[in-house]
Amino acid sequence: MTAGDPTVFSAALTVEQFAALALRGSRVEVVTGEILYSAGDRDFDFVVVESGEVDVVRPEMPGSPEALITTWGALQFLGELNLVTGQTAVATARVRTSGAVLRIPPDHFRALMAEDAELSDLILRALLDRRQEMRTGVGALALEILGSGLSAATHELRTWAARQQLPYTWVDFDAPAGQALARAAAVEALELPAVVTATGVIRNATAAVVSDHLGLTLRSDRSHDYDLAVIGGGPAGLAAAVYGASEGLSTILLDSVAVGGQAAASSRIENYLGFPSGISGIDLTSRALVQANKFGAQISSPCRVVSLDCGGGLLQVRLSNEDVVNARSVIIATGAQYRTLPLEGWSEFEGAGIYYAATDIEARACAFQPVTVVGGANSAGQASLFLADSGNPVHLVVRGADLEAGMSRYLVDRVLVHPRIDVHVDTEVTKLDGEAHLASIRLTTGTAEPVTVACSGLFCFIGASPATGWLGGVALDEDGFVLTDRDVPAEALTGAWELLGRTPLALETSVPGIFAAGDVRSGSMKRVAAAVGEGASAVRSVHLALAAVS
């Protein structure tokens, strides 16, 4: 197994670094053949090799034998990013040559990552490098998603796995390799999508079921109260989780779909500070996810919040599975829900030709086929350029009279000169056609006859509505966005506010201790950078609120 930077990947420790780690764990002698941890184990130790050698192997799975991933020797440590995220072990660690190892329990490892900057940086860089290798090498076969490329359920599962940065391989059921895997795993067509792991086969798989299987689901613990519960895992929520956890607040983040929010749907963000060459939304948010994990925030996705009880002493966040998360403060960062077009067959084609993101997954699904992007803002321009650069002929459909009204000038200039982008202004999509997958659409303008164009992918970027339908007891504006601080109406500042003797802090809602950040907040800028800033600022207000009542 190779890596982009062998020094980072192998991460051999100095004698001094090993000695520092030894203070946090225990030395154990091991013998050839001994299993240090197995694929599927939860809460396993961080292991450092003192002497001898340890093989890391992907266990035998349906259709494939055991495979060696790598071998670690003296002063090297085992594991990859699952040590930080809490995911079950991807591989099995087996002693090749007798010797001794250092075992550091999970709670001591988390303390190490939060307290020792030098060692945590070394370890984290190595774990990130290894995860990247796992996603492209032998380790990617540790989790296989078996399903049709035309299936919305398969697309949803792949999108979730990609946003979680999981090492996985997609196997097309309709291809010879997919048929072979289906036979080996005894999976029928009606049981798709299926997920094959070293510890079992999940039929009719969903993100929620796979998340639980991999140990990423919230583990119910009604005896534990959090300082901060963050609802929503977009840029605002991730920023809140990072700053909350890094500043000593016991923090949990709950997201109903997949961490990253709408930002993860962006193929390229070019105006985010510090990235002059741009960065994809999924790369930006996945890095933030790792940061939150590093500082000890608990992340649970998918995990749907259905209500927020503000009546008692602690705030109670109620989940769709009837669990309750108790928290001293809450930051609402649920963002917004994608708007759709009122067309017959829309829901049937979602994930099977209709997409709300333009990433590598969607581009591969529509490889070199004609596609249509709907919308006139930056996200639509970025998607059009990404898809066109990927080889797709692109129809960019804008309801308005020109691009300049909603799109940044630099994007307008690039879109207009790109040879594979055909811009249609004053135009709407009025009909969808296809069977199991979208095949064509009808475009209607005010000045010409409607035309039908081939379309293997319709990418919808027409805005969103606030995701506040679940939220009661908190003041909203007329469009459903959450009101905060100076915008909270005076008539709402009674009862608890009178007892507290204060008005709402920055980003605080009409309910003391509940804050809002990002796109869900009334008056927000609806930009990634602004959402990150609001998430961080909300944590400062949380500290002030908690200090006032402690």
Side-chain angles (χ1 to χ4, degrees):
M1 185 174 179
T2 61
D5 181 348
T7 303
V8 172
F9 177 74
S10 58
L13 300 167
T14 65
V15 173
E16 292 76 18
Q17 288 169 334
F18 182 87
L21 288 172
L23 298 175
R24 298 177 181 267
S26 55
R27 181 181 182 277
V28 180
E29 294 187 356
V30 294
V31 297
T32 299
E34 184 175 343
I35 301 298
L36 303 182
Y37 57 78
S38 299
D41 282 356
R42 300 191 182 204
D43 297 326
F44 54 97
D45 293 342
F46 176 64
V47 178
V48 186
V49 181
E50 180 185 43
S51 60
E53 292 180 312
V54 177
D55 286 338
V56 178
V57 300
R58 178 186 57 73
E60 179 181 1
M61 292 174 57
S64 58
E66 177 184 289
L68 176 67
I69 297 175
T70 193
T71 301
W72 299 123
L75 298 184
Q76 294 178 318
F77 53 84
L78 280 61
E80 53 97 43
L81 200 57
N82 52 5
L83 285 164
V84 176
T85 64
Q87 178 191 344
T88 56
V90 174
T92 294
R94 184 172 59 224
V95 177
R96 173 191 283 256
T97 306
S98 298
V101 300
L102 176 66
R103 283 187 173 274
I104 299 178
D107 55 339
H108 291 193
F109 175 73
R110 286 190 288 270
L112 162 71
M113 296 301 287
E115 297 167 1
D116 192 317
E118 178 187 352
L119 276 172
S120 68
D121 182 60
L122 170 69
I123 293 169
L124 186 59
R125 285 189 294 119
L127 299 187
L128 285 167
D129 194 61
R130 293 175 186 178
R131 169 56 63 93
Q132 186 58 36
E133 288 295 312
M134 290 285 286
R135 296 182 69 201
T136 57
V138 173
L141 295 174
L143 191 154
E144 295 177 283
I145 297 176
L146 176 64
S148 170
L150 304 179
S151 162
T154 300
H155 179 266
E156 180 180 344
L157 192 57
R158 291 176 63 199
T159 298
W160 171 80
R163 290 194 184 184
Q164 294 293 135
Q165 293 286 289
L166 298 177
Y168 80 95
T169 298
W170 169 58
V171 185
D172 191 341
F173 178 78
D174 300 317
Q179 291 291 301
L181 179 58
R183 288 192 297 271
V187 173
E188 303 292 337
L190 292 176
E191 297 173 321
L192 299 176
V195 169
V196 181
T197 74
T199 54
V201 177
I202 305 171
R203 296 169 172 82
N204 299 121
T206 64
V209 173
V210 178
S211 179
D212 184 65
H213 183 80
L214 298 179
L216 295 172
T217 305
L218 173 68
R219 302 180 195 179
S220 179
D221 182 5
R222 293 176 182 264
S223 64
H224 181 70
D225 300 333
Y226 292 90
D227 294 322
L228 172 62
V230 180
I231 306 174
L238 287 166
V242 168
Y243 284 95
S246 66
E247 293 175 11
L249 299 177
S250 58
T251 302
I252 184 169
L253 183 150
L254 310 166
D255 190 275
S256 63
V257 181
V259 170
Q262 289 194 71
S266 179
S267 56
R268 196 165 199 81
I269 301 171
E270 293 193 71
N271 57 359
Y272 190 78
L273 187 67
F275 294 92
S277 299
I279 184 171
S280 73
I282 196 167
D283 281 346
L284 181 66
T285 55
S286 64
R287 292 182 188 189
L289 174 61
V290 172
Q291 277 183 297
N293 284 136
K294 170 189 172 181
F295 290 117
Q298 183 176 344
I299 313 293
S300 185
S301 170
C303 185
R304 187 165 67 89
V305 175
V306 295
S307 66
L308 183 55
D309 186 349
C310 318
L314 286 171
L315 300 167
Q316 294 189 319
V317 182
R318 299 188 180 277
L319 310 180
S320 57
N321 64 0
E322 300 184 355
D323 274 345
V324 175
V325 174
N326 295 318
R328 299 173 64 203
S329 64
V330 169
I331 294 177
I332 300 168
T334 46
Q337 298 167 327
Y338 299 111
R339 288 184 180 141
T340 64
L341 296 176
L343 298 176
E344 183 179 351
W346 185 275
S347 60
E348 287 80 1
F349 287 126
E350 287 183 309
I354 291 178
Y355 308 107
Y356 303 97
T359 69
D360 286 337
I361 291 177
E362 292 79 18
R364 286 195 294 268
C366 306
F368 305 108
Q369 300 300 309
V371 299
T372 299
V373 176
V374 181
N378 281 2
S379 56
Q382 291 160 346
S384 298
L385 290 166
F386 172 74
L387 293 163
D389 288 341
S390 299
N392 298 92
V394 177
H395 294 283
L396 174 57
V397 175
V398 183
R399 188 171 60 177
D402 57 60
L403 288 180
E404 290 83 351
M407 193 178 296
S408 296
R409 184 73 242 178
Y410 78 95
L411 284 173
V412 172
D413 292 340
R414 294 183 192 177
V415 165
L416 292 178
V417 300
H418 201 294
R420 280 194 289 271
I421 299 178
D422 188 5
V423 178
H424 305 261
V425 297
D426 191 26
T427 303
E428 296 185 55
V429 178
T430 54
K431 187 178 180 182
L432 310 172
D433 279 308
E435 295 183 2
H437 194 277
L438 183 66
S440 66
I441 61 173
R442 179 186 295 167
L443 300 180
T444 301
T445 72
T447 58
E449 289 295 317
V451 295
T452 297
V453 298
C455 180
S456 67
L458 177 62
F459 294 80
C460 190
F461 295 93
I462 59 173
S465 302
T468 53
W470 60 277
L471 186 60
V474 174
L476 310 176
D477 68 13
E478 60 184 10
D479 295 317
F481 291 91
V482 181
L483 294 167
T484 58
D485 47 78
R486 290 177 295 180
D487 292 330
V488 174
E491 58 269 23
L493 302 181
T494 58
W497 292 108
E498 294 173 339
L499 293 174
L500 289 172
R502 66 174 179 86
T503 56
L505 298 165
L507 302 175
E508 195 167 18
T509 70
S510 60
V511 178
I514 299 179
F515 302 79
D519 289 3
V520 75
R521 191 181 67 81
S522 179
S524 64
M525 285 181 61
K526 311 298 187 285
R527 290 289 186 270
V528 172
V532 169
E534 289 191 7
S537 297
V539 171
R540 171 165 173 73
S541 293
V542 165
H543 278 293
L544 294 174
L546 294 181
V549 296
S550 60

